[in-house]
Amino acid sequence: MRYLPLTDSDRADMLAAIGVETIDDLFVDIPDDKRVDGALQLPSHRPEMAVETALKRLAARNVPADSVPFFVGAGAYKHHVPATVDHLIQRSEFLTSYTPYQPEISQGTLQVLFEFQTQVAELTGMEVANASMYDGSTATAEAVLMANRVTKRRKAVLAGGLHPHYRAVVETTVGMADDALVLLDPDPSGTEDVISAIDEETACVVVQCPSFYGHLIDLKPIAEAAHAKGALLVAVFTEVVALAAIEPPGAQGADIVVGEGQSIGNPLTFGGPYVGLFATRQKFLRQMPGRVCGETVDADGERGFVLTLSTREQHIRRDKATSNICTNSGLCALAFTIHATLLGGTGLTRLAAVNHAQTVKLVERLEDVRGVEVLNDTFFNEVTLRVDRDAAAVIEDLAERGVLAGVPVSRLLPSAGLDDLIVAAVTECVSDDDIEAFATTLAEVL
């Protein structure tokens, strides 16, 4: 028997309380052509074996990332994750843990988060880091909200090199608070003038490095200009491995550093779950969203770990809470920490060097392909290509020939007039043969 706790009268009272007449009124924002009228058109029930067979056939229509030359990036990257990482995160004490509210029974989780925070702080060149966020885009939105609290201003400047999805999340989140946003035009060439957009009302300027288009951005003059106007610099990254090759954003003057940590320890998995990284200066610690784990000693002088700061609404009064997007990614943060520990500082630097070296090979090889222009003078492991045909069609043609060649910019920015651009990424998983296959096949379809 189904348990239905609400009566028709209860539902009517709730609808009246929120000012609508019917449940359908709750969905008026969804366009009519996107709504399903009536029951879903699904086949009738089938035996389990038949369902398994049907799903396997459906899955076989996908092209696995490791089955063909693979150059897709644009915010999610295919790196090699050692088998040790998955083996260790599958241990029940980690896999089944939720949140570390009870330090006496979750010392392992707390210690991992403490070490995770240490690694993130060192990578970003910042003084403190939290115990992770939901993902890089929500971490960016939280950084803007935090900058507004710190500066007591309500205007953010988003650079044109910021990932379009990150920009959209910031727009959605900040829009809820009626804060102002200055959205600079997309910047495929890496030459935009961010500094001229900063004024005395600016709370923060948000700059991604490497940018969505792969350009390395000198953050120092932007940080100086922002500080001169009393604003903060929020530095964003989508490829955390890059931080092992370039000067850390903290050393370049950033006040808040946020980004995506998927590249270390976490596979692609169709877009998630991922792990947002968030670091800042010590003086801004109490305005930082999320949670912070600290090291201490117990009554017997034994080393232990505790949840030392948590400005979430579960812990303090709602009107004093700093985080709207408070979910951390505990298991993904664990995977990050294990992989980073296995690599060590030397290994991570070597990994970054391999990524860059392979990208240099791709760029040099593409110089010989007619109809291709590489827009980047500087890059880490990702570049923007201009082709002399519609980029989305080129990507489709390459896919039919067994090469997943990148992401057409028009897929993420359909109205920007950038239909001839492709963002291509190279990691340590790309071989010399893959690069040759890319260049040769691209020459065939252009």
Side-chain angles (χ1 to χ4, degrees):
M1 183 178 72
R2 297 179 68 187
Y3 174 64
L4 301 174
L6 301 177
T7 66
D8 290 342
S9 177
D10 292 333
R11 296 188 182 89
D13 290 343
M14 287 190 289
L15 292 172
I18 59 178
V20 298
E21 295 183 359
T22 69
I23 291 178
D24 288 340
D25 291 339
L26 300 175
F27 303 104
V28 294
D29 291 335
I30 301 175
D32 290 339
D33 62 341
K34 300 296 187 296
R35 300 175 65 174
V36 175
D37 186 15
L40 294 174
Q41 299 300 312
L42 295 174
S44 60
H45 68 281
R46 299 287 181 86
E48 183 175 325
M49 288 177 59
V51 173
E52 288 180 353
T53 300
L55 290 177
K56 286 179 180 176
R57 288 174 178 168
L58 189 63
R61 297 168 59 185
N62 294 320
V63 179
D66 56 359
S67 66
V68 295
F70 187 83
F71 298 85
V72 179
Y77 303 93
K78 180 181 182 298
H79 289 281
H80 172 68
V81 180
T84 308
V85 174
D86 189 58
H87 176 75
L88 291 176
I89 68 172
Q90 298 285 341
R91 289 179 63 93
S92 60
E93 58 268 44
F94 290 130
L95 191 63
T96 60
S97 295
Y98 180 45
T99 47
Y101 295 128
Q102 298 169 299
E104 70 276 14
I105 62 173
S106 56
Q107 280 295 293
T109 298
L110 286 166
Q111 180 174 351
V112 166
L113 293 177
F114 181 80
E115 295 177 359
F116 169 82
Q117 294 167 185
T118 304
Q119 291 171 337
V120 173
E122 291 186 355
L123 275 169
T124 57
M126 303 302 285
E127 294 161 346
V128 294
N130 72 12
S132 81
M133 304 291 289
Y134 186 69
D135 62 13
S137 65
T138 50
T140 304
E142 285 287 352
V144 172
L145 296 176
M146 174 178 160
N148 291 352
R149 291 192 297 271
V150 170
T151 62
K152 302 187 187 307
R153 301 176 180 177
R154 304 184 68 176
K155 186 172 82 172
V157 176
L158 306 190
L162 183 63
H163 193 295
H165 289 170
Y166 286 36
R167 176 188 293 224
V169 171
V170 174
E171 285 186 85
T172 300
T173 305
V174 173
M176 296 296 178
D178 292 328
D179 292 339
L181 286 177
V182 177
L183 306 176
L184 302 186
D185 293 335
D187 181 35
S189 62
T191 57
E192 68 179 343
D193 180 9
V194 178
I195 292 176
S196 64
I198 305 171
D199 59 25
E200 285 77 6
E201 297 179 355
T202 303
C204 66
V205 54
V206 183
V207 183
Q208 180 176 328
C209 179
S211 75
F212 169 69
Y213 302 96
H215 302 284
L216 298 179
I217 309 296
D218 185 359
L219 298 176
K220 290 179 181 175
I222 301 174
E224 292 172 358
H227 296 159
K229 300 287 187 182
L232 305 184
L233 171 61
V234 177
V236 181
F237 56 87
T238 58
E239 172 57 287
V240 64
V241 176
L243 299 183
I246 63 178
E247 187 174 20
Q252 298 189 60
D255 302 284
I256 305 172
V257 183
V258 294
E260 178 55 58
Q262 171 266 324
S263 292
I264 299 180
N266 293 279
L268 289 173
T269 56
F270 287 97
Y274 286 167
V275 51
L277 311 184
F278 197 114
T280 187
R281 305 285 179 194
Q282 178 75 34
K283 60 183 178 182
F284 301 138
L285 173 63
R286 291 191 175 278
Q287 293 297 333
M288 183 168 63
R291 293 171 288 190
V292 176
C293 290
E295 181 184 28
T296 187
V297 292
D298 64 13
D300 299 322
E302 298 292 333
R303 185 189 189 212
F305 299 91
V306 294
L307 200 64
T308 57
L309 182 67
S310 189
T311 50
R312 308 163 67 207
E313 62 188 25
Q314 292 97 325
H315 300 93
I316 62 176
R317 294 202 310 272
R318 178 182 291 269
D319 60 336
K320 295 292 185 183
T322 61
S323 177
N324 294 319
I325 308 168
C326 56
T327 298
N328 88 319
S329 300
L331 196 65
C332 295
L334 171 66
F336 179 102
T337 300
I338 293 172
H339 193 183
T341 303
L342 290 171
L343 287 167
T346 302
L348 191 57
T349 301
R350 187 178 303 163
L351 174 65
V354 171
N355 276 247
H356 182 62
Q358 289 300 93
T359 312
V360 171
K361 289 181 181 178
L362 175 68
V363 170
E364 292 177 346
R365 181 64 182 85
L366 291 179
E367 289 177 349
D368 298 330
V369 178
R370 181 184 57 80
V372 178
E373 177 188 3
V374 179
L375 300 188
N376 302 68
D377 293 327
T378 60
F379 54 85
F380 170 60
N381 71 346
E382 197 158 30
V383 293
T384 298
L385 314 177
R386 173 171 285 133
V387 293
D388 59 7
R389 286 182 51 206
D390 179 79
V394 170
I395 292 294
E396 290 294 332
D397 289 347
L398 287 168
E400 290 179 359
R401 289 165 170 77
V403 177
L404 298 182
V407 178
V409 173
S410 60
R411 180 176 178 182
L412 280 70
L413 293 168
S415 304
L418 302 174
D419 298 344
D420 57 350
L421 300 184
I422 297 172
V423 174
V426 181
T427 71
E428 75 280 2
C429 297
V430 171
S431 68
D432 293 351
D433 289 342
D434 292 338
I435 292 173
E436 184 59 31
F438 184 5
T440 302
T441 312
L442 184 58
E444 292 173 0
V445 303
L446 290 179

